[in-house]
Amino acid sequence: MSEIPNIKLNDGNLIPQLGFGVFKVDENDAERVVSEALEAGYRHIDTAKIYGNEEGVGRAIEKSGIDRSELFITTKLWNDDQKNPKDALDASLERLGLDYVDLYLIHWPCEKQGAYVDAWEELGKQREAGLVKSIGVCNFLPKHLDNLLSPGGEPIVPVVNQIELHPTYQQREVTEYCRSRGIEIEAWGPLGQGKYDLFNEEPIAQAAKAHGKTPAQVVLRWHIQEGNIIFPKTSHKERMVENMDIFDFELTDEEFLKIHDLERGNRVAAHPDEVDVD
Ligand code: NAD
């Protein structure tokens, strides 16, 4: 299996382009699932306070014996904690059993709450203090990013924006805005969360046949060639291995473009304007 490429973030840190996500992995199962993912070779894990599994993730990391410097661990600031990011990060670190995380993300802008710009400033301080190496956001639209990037002084540019993105929902306005400002795109739900019949879309099924790969591998390969950072989730060891085995083939320009053309605004999860604090 070829090596997973790194992407250089705008603060100079490196992130493995392929990682492993643990949304909807139950705390009781998280240690087993993450241990298997680490055994399969994943070194980048994406969790969040709201997933309720940081302790299980932490136990798997500890038991793996893998040197901390070889791991890239992301967690996220939940909406209710935007007014107190320092305590929230301390608590996440405690649950994970880590001294620092590689990436800390604001999980949703929660525009009505009106706290994300101040929270961003706080995250900058935690980065200065060494509790987190890089900081970024999730589910931010250009209007939210404008507010982070336009205060007086030198703004801190998020290293990533983690957004819902799969072949039928590509959010090109957001990706173009981000890429033109040096913000990398992390695609969550890279397989459409298994919520629609992505794998039978013709260009995907055809490319899978042509390359002797599964449709899931074709979709993940498409993300890699798009330049997206991805961390597909699965609880099954065979699929963990399958989802990593995407670096020994390349989609042709024609195959790539046919998948690119599947865009049809097919959002499968919440829109940023729908998520806020009660
Ligand atoms: P995903 O697109 O990774 O889909 C996961 C589902 O795809 C699995 O439950 C399984 O049913 C299926 N699957 C996985 N591998 C497969 C394979 N090889 N063959 C067939 N089916 C397969 O969706 P996701 O888990 O929501 O997204 C990935 C990660 O993104 C999450 O685990 C989480 O870390 C992150 N995420 C972030 C946000 C956010 O708001 N920031 C929201 C959702 C997810």
Side-chain angles (χ1 to χ4, degrees):
M1 202 178 288
S2 320
E3 230 175 85
I4 296 173
N6 283 317
I7 286 189
K8 194 171 190 178
L9 300 171
N10 67 30
D11 61 4
N13 291 329
L14 298 178
I15 184 169
Q17 194 180 1
L18 174 70
F20 186 78
V22 295
F23 179 44
K24 293 203 169 154
V25 174
D26 193 80
E27 167 64 15
N28 297 325
D29 207 18
E31 183 183 329
R32 192 261 313 162
V33 168
V34 175
S35 296
E36 289 184 357
L38 294 171
E39 276 163 29
Y42 291 91
R43 292 294 178 268
H44 165 188
I45 308 292
D46 184 275
T47 184
K49 175 196 173 187
I50 197 67
Y51 302 168
N53 55 24
E54 288 174 316
E55 288 184 12
V57 171
R59 282 194 302 277
I61 291 171
E62 197 195 344
K63 287 192 178 163
S64 74
I66 297 168
D67 196 273
R68 177 68 184 89
S69 64
E70 288 178 31
L71 295 170
F72 190 101
I73 310 298
T74 300
T75 194
K76 312 187 188 91
L77 176 70
W78 186 239
N79 305 340
D80 290 342
D81 294 324
Q82 279 190 13
K83 292 186 175 158
N84 208 346
K86 163 110 182 64
D87 288 351
L89 177 58
D90 285 346
S92 279
L93 289 172
E94 174 90 29
R95 285 188 293 271
L96 286 161
L98 298 177
D99 301 329
Y100 68 92
V101 282
D102 297 274
L103 180 58
Y104 197 45
L105 304 176
I106 297 182
H107 209 143
W108 292 89
C110 302
E111 190 171 319
K112 286 197 204 97
Q113 177 175 219
Y116 69 86
V117 174
D118 288 346
W120 183 245
E121 216 170 283
E122 276 304 308
L123 261 56
K125 289 181 191 157
Q126 287 150 24
R127 191 183 67 165
E128 289 291 302
L131 298 178
V132 47
K133 302 282 183 199
S134 296
I135 54 176
V137 296
C138 308
N139 304 304
F140 272 48
L141 301 173
K143 62 179 176 177
H144 307 118
L145 288 162
D146 277 345
N147 288 331
L148 295 192
L149 298 180
S150 59
E154 193 68 13
I156 301 179
V157 181
V159 293
V160 299
N161 188 12
Q162 183 178 124
I163 55 172
E164 179 184 338
L165 199 162
H166 36 91
T168 60
Y169 187 60
Q170 297 178 35
Q171 301 216 54
R172 290 197 194 132
E173 191 198 331
V174 181
T175 61
E176 277 160 28
Y177 177 105
C178 289
R179 292 210 162 101
S180 68
R181 288 161 178 83
I183 302 169
E184 296 293 337
I185 297 298
E186 293 195 330
W188 65 254
L191 298 170
Q193 296 192 323
K195 284 185 179 166
Y196 69 101
D197 197 5
L198 177 62
F199 297 156
N200 279 323
E201 296 281 352
E202 212 175 300
I204 294 169
Q206 268 176 6
K209 214 170 161 196
H211 292 278
K213 291 284 179 181
T214 65
Q217 288 172 319
V218 165
V219 174
L220 297 173
R221 179 70 214 178
W222 171 80
H223 279 285
I224 295 292
Q225 289 181 217
E226 273 278 338
N228 299 333
I229 299 163
I230 47 172
F231 21 84
K233 174 251 162 182
T234 175
S235 299
H236 306 290
K237 183 88 188 256
E238 330 74 75
R239 284 182 171 174
M240 292 174 194
V241 173
E242 176 186 332
N243 293 350
M244 280 188 81
D245 188 14
I246 55 171
F247 297 103
D248 61 351
F249 77 111
E250 200 165 333
L251 299 172
T252 63
D253 288 350
E254 197 188 343
E255 288 166 339
F256 177 82
L257 287 172
K258 278 187 180 166
I259 299 175
H260 193 74
D261 284 347
L262 288 172
E263 163 63 37
R264 53 175 185 263
N266 178 35
R267 180 165 56 81
V268 299
H271 186 275
D273 288 340
E274 296 167 0
V275 178
D276 221 293
V277 176
D278 296 332

